[in-house]
Amino acid sequence: KRREQYTPIAADYIELGDAYRYLGGENGGKAITTYEKALELDPNNAEAVMKEGLVNYNARLKSEAVADYAKATNMDPKYGPALYELFLFYTTPKKDQLSWENAAQYLEKYMAVADPADKTKNELLAATISFFKKDYDNAISKGQAALQGAPEAYKNKLTLLIGDSYLQKGDSLNAQKIMDAYVQEVGESKLDSADCNR
């Protein structure tokens, strides 16, 4: 009896492409070829296009990477991973990448489709963007809104961001209040070196 032959689907080629991508180096070309095979089977596969962008970015082909990420979002406007890659691209502190305006725009689009479980993380990112844009009042209000009901893992980060925002806008009294409350809540024994530099 002849064995049934398995016919690969687009997801199989994407997985194989991922394996080549993780190997790195000269395997980037193999990854692209494999993602292209996935696109032959499923021409509207946003994941394959976005992952071609990851390979291009690793090969320092930034304009090609951004074009791939954008193409993936055009294929599927709700494809969160491509929107998040665009957000990360524009928050990278390199002169040909950094753009807080673009980062904020893509973060907003990403937050509209993101897993609700990531809500606090996304709110922290939004407050951080306001901070880096020197919009300290907005960073404070977004940080305070996110602080309500935030899980423990995010409370410290949000509190430090709010305190730092007060300090940067020249309101040292409120910054001191926030940091005193933070030290009291965390306890001096749990402070780390980054906290002492604030």
Side-chain angles (χ1 to χ4, degrees):
K1 189 177 177 183
R2 276 177 59 190
R3 266 196 188 154
E4 279 185 38
Q5 193 165 351
Y6 178 75
T7 306
I9 59 172
D12 297 321
Y13 284 114
I14 289 172
E15 219 169 285
L16 181 59
D18 290 348
Y20 283 128
R21 186 165 49 86
Y22 291 130
L23 288 171
E26 71 280 356
N27 293 295
K30 291 177 184 174
I32 293 280
T33 303
T34 311
Y35 293 136
E36 290 294 332
K37 285 183 182 173
L39 287 164
E40 285 170 22
L41 295 174
D42 180 4
N44 292 316
N45 193 306
E47 182 182 6
V49 173
M50 188 269 298
K51 288 183 171 178
E52 285 180 333
L54 296 176
V55 175
N56 282 325
Y57 187 78
N58 288 339
R60 294 187 174 89
L61 301 170
K62 292 181 185 180
S63 58
E64 288 87 341
V66 170
D68 289 334
Y69 302 151
K71 183 179 176 185
T73 64
N74 290 335
M75 293 167 107
D76 180 359
K78 293 184 177 179
Y79 185 59
L83 294 167
Y84 194 70
E85 287 302 326
L86 284 161
F87 160 71
L88 290 177
F89 181 88
Y90 288 114
T91 57
T92 303
K94 294 183 179 172
K95 79 175 177 190
D96 58 343
Q97 284 184 243
L98 186 64
S99 167
W100 293 115
E101 285 72 25
N102 287 344
Q105 172 194 337
Y106 286 112
L107 180 62
E108 203 171 284
K109 288 179 180 180
Y110 171 73
M111 287 172 68
V113 298
D115 183 341
D118 293 337
K119 183 175 182 272
T120 307
K121 175 184 126 186
N122 296 331
E123 289 173 338
L124 171 63
L125 291 171
T128 303
I129 284 176
S130 294
F131 178 85
F132 284 120
K133 285 168 79 176
K134 298 183 180 357
D135 185 354
Y136 302 119
D137 288 328
N138 208 359
I140 290 165
S141 64
K142 284 180 178 176
Q144 287 171 334
L147 204 51
Q148 307 303 315
E152 206 58 45
Y154 287 101
K155 281 187 178 176
N156 293 349
K157 292 176 184 176
L158 287 162
T159 302
L160 292 172
L161 180 72
I162 294 164
D164 217 352
S165 296
Y166 276 119
L167 189 62
Q168 295 303 319
K169 70 180 233 152
D171 185 348
S172 57
L173 288 175
N174 272 318
Q176 182 72 44
K177 275 187 208 168
I178 296 284
M179 295 316 290
D180 286 346
Y182 172 74
V183 169
Q184 194 169 0
E185 189 174 326
V186 172
E188 285 190 38
S189 63
K190 290 189 179 170
L191 294 177
D192 62 28
S193 59
D195 296 326
C196 296
N197 291 333
R198 292 179 187 274

